Amino acid sequence: MSEEGTLHANQGFQESPDQPPYLIDVKHARTPTTTAIQNFSAVWFVVAMDTGILGLILDRLPYQFPGIQTLATICYVFLILLMVVFGVLQLVRVAMYPRAVWRTTAHNLEEITFWANPIIAWLTMAALTATQVSGAYWGGHAFSMVAYVLWWIGAAASFICALGIFIATIRLGLAHDRTMPPSVFLPVIGLLTAASTGGIIVNYGYDVSARLAMPVIIFSYFLVGYGVFFGLMLYSIFTHRLMAAGWPAPAKLPGLFILVGPMGQAAAALQLLGTAANTKQDFAHYNKGTFLTASAASGLDSASILIALLIMGFDYFWALVALFAVVEGAFKKQLTYSMMWWSTIFPLATLVTAWEVLATEMNSPTFKVLATALVIIIVISYFMNWAFTIVHLFKGTLIASSSTEEVEEMEKKQREADEEKQD
């Protein structure tokens, strides 16, 4: 496989004969370092997403042990570090190679959907600010307000991102019903992550009053509706894609776990918002109108649990489908390591969040064990992904490098393609 092809496979870009290749800006890309910067796709923010949600599930783990909160705080600090490093690299990439970034984004469905990743990572940072900092002895209400502001920024960004990507996909003609990648669900996950993060902040943020919580709860329910019904449309289209064209390419099979994310976050969001309304008594303290009252909160909380259970049944169907596809690929020895393997962590962690809330609401030892077992699997997957990522970074297969000769060859091919178009 060529260097260019390796880059496509390992970063998870959609390969389609009617789409232009992943272009290299030959004006700047003369060294491995500059080429690596140009090839630093937004897909890398999935590492920050996974780090953030790992901290969240450790913080809420039903069976706590000494040091687990320290581990959750380490995840929070590491998340901030990753966001800073990845953010700076993206800014440098855009500043140095604006043309190449634009062309890869405008001509590749996977690349454009990857821009939801930084927003999701931002929202997990907001949630951890509420859980890890606002409740600390040196934190307090001030950091609850920091989390509150971070959430509103992230919620607005997720709303705009989902709408913008949908319209851009239509306008640019990027979607193909037989080659649609699982990453199309990332903007939906962003919407529902915003909703679940809103529930976390109003439940676990220090001294968040009912007056502050109410706009978050109402808008979070709005985001649940936006995300769930948008997601159902995509599930229908993607089911047709699988039944008509079969599994995605082997390098992209782990990406099927992305389909678990939307409904896992929806189930968690509904339960967290119901808990805020009823158990935390935000509706009772606010007590206005006929809906924002204590009597309505009880029914809302019960309905949220019921709907969450229904949604999780649907979610486990997709988890088993994804698991079957990956296991089949493993038995056929088709699997290779790519950034798509990081996609297995965040979606499964959304199920943990849902089980953790259900375990509390129902005082169920079974749900506590299920949540804990999934956490163990996720922790193992997280560190295995780091090990493989580091190895493949040193090999140069995750962020490919190009020699001057290869760059010149790509420049020649691009000139020929442009000349053919002009003719």
Side-chain angles (χ1 to χ4, degrees), residues 6 52 246 260 273 395-396 404:
T6 301
V260 179
L273 296 171
K395 288 182 178 179
T404 302

Side-chain angles (χ1 to χ4, degrees), residues 150-184:
L150 291 175
W151 180 82
W152 277 108
I153 295 171
S158 68
F159 185 98
I160 295 168
C161 177
L163 181 62
I165 289 175
F166 182 68
I167 292 174
T169 302
I170 296 171
R171 293 276 297 154
L172 298 172
L174 299 179
H176 303 274
D177 62 342
R178 291 174 181 258
T179 59
M180 179 179 288
S183 64
V184 295

